[in-house]
Amino acid sequence: MPEPMHRDLPGFGPRLRRLRRARSMKQAALAEALDTSQATVSRWEAGTQLPDGATRRRALELLTRDFCDDAVLRRLVEHSSDCLHLVDEANHVCLAYSPSRARQWRQSQRALLGQSLWPYATVEIQAAEAALDGSDWWESQTPNPRLFHTSRRVYDALTVVEGGLLWERLYLSDGTPVRLCSRAQSPHN
């Protein structure tokens, strides 16, 4: 079984823009918190300028701080009879998954918690993620769910099953945007 290919998360600028928009924060507010200008934040997001490593870490920490556990939501996912998982929108870190998803992935329900699932993204998942930039996903507080078809991939850590995949945005109690990923019927099934 192949190991996951190294796939970087979207670059700093797109990640910053996505996370800021998902948290409904204006560029000016982020700039003020980082003691810089709105124009500088705009250049970071556009990828025309890259701040130093410490500033990048501060910016991302500012937008993800006070991350909460949300035990009730986690418990609903972990006890669902549906095949689903919950990831952080900013970094694809796995927050919870159902027993049927654990069987599909051939893992315990704890094995992948806290790990980014992005290295296991199929070509179709990567394309669906990229297509979010051309949609209302990052602009809207409640974007329309996204349905697409993904191919099968087998890795040592998990197996991605071919079929329909539905993405829906939820929020943790602290406002952190998360994505509920579930099996769904698609026109390709």
Side-chain angles (χ1 to χ4, degrees):
M1 287 183 268
E3 282 298 309
M5 294 171 36
H6 177 61
R7 292 185 181 99
D8 290 331
L9 287 167
F12 173 76
R15 286 180 63 210
L16 182 69
R17 180 180 57 248
R18 290 173 173 187
L19 188 54
R20 180 187 57 75
R21 287 177 175 171
R23 297 291 296 247
S24 298
M25 180 182 271
K26 299 283 186 191
Q27 284 182 340
L30 180 59
E32 184 177 329
L34 295 170
D35 196 30
T36 192
S37 70
Q38 181 272 326
T40 298
V41 171
S42 178
R43 286 190 296 272
W44 294 346
E45 290 183 358
T48 59
Q49 184 179 347
L50 185 65
D52 62 71
T55 303
R56 288 193 305 266
R57 282 188 297 280
R58 264 188 28 235
L60 293 174
E61 286 171 5
L62 177 68
L63 292 169
T64 59
R65 72 174 173 215
D66 301 327
F67 181 77
C68 63
D69 192 11
D70 281 56
V72 173
L73 179 58
R74 190 182 72 238
R75 189 170 62 248
L76 287 171
V77 170
E78 289 176 347
H79 291 96
S80 175
S81 60
D82 294 333
C83 190
L84 50 89
H85 63 281
L86 188 69
V87 297
D88 182 285
E89 281 260 88
N91 53 26
H92 299 268
V93 166
C94 184
L95 304 174
Y97 48 100
S98 66
S100 56
R101 184 70 84 202
R103 284 189 297 277
Q104 180 187 78
W105 287 347
R106 296 173 290 116
Q107 292 290 344
S108 74
Q109 271 190 276
R110 299 275 178 239
L112 297 171
L113 295 180
Q115 294 182 39
S116 176
L117 299 180
W118 188 250
Y120 309 106
T122 63
V123 171
E124 296 86 1
I125 292 171
Q126 292 175 56
E129 181 72 25
L132 294 178
D133 283 336
S135 73
D136 71 339
W137 190 267
W138 304 110
E139 302 295 330
S140 175
Q141 193 72 3
T142 54
N144 291 324
R146 297 291 190 260
L147 175 65
F148 62 96
H149 186 268
T150 187
S151 60
R152 174 180 164 85
R153 276 302 298 242
V154 178
Y155 299 101
D156 288 341
L158 63 85
T159 298
V160 177
V161 174
E162 180 178 6
L165 190 58
L166 180 68
W167 287 346
E168 298 173 275
R169 159 101 46 82
L170 300 173
Y171 291 90
L172 299 181
S173 60
D174 69 352
T176 299
V178 294
R179 189 177 301 171
L180 183 67
C181 308
S182 58
R183 288 179 61 180
Q185 295 297 337
S186 78
H188 297 62
N189 283 351

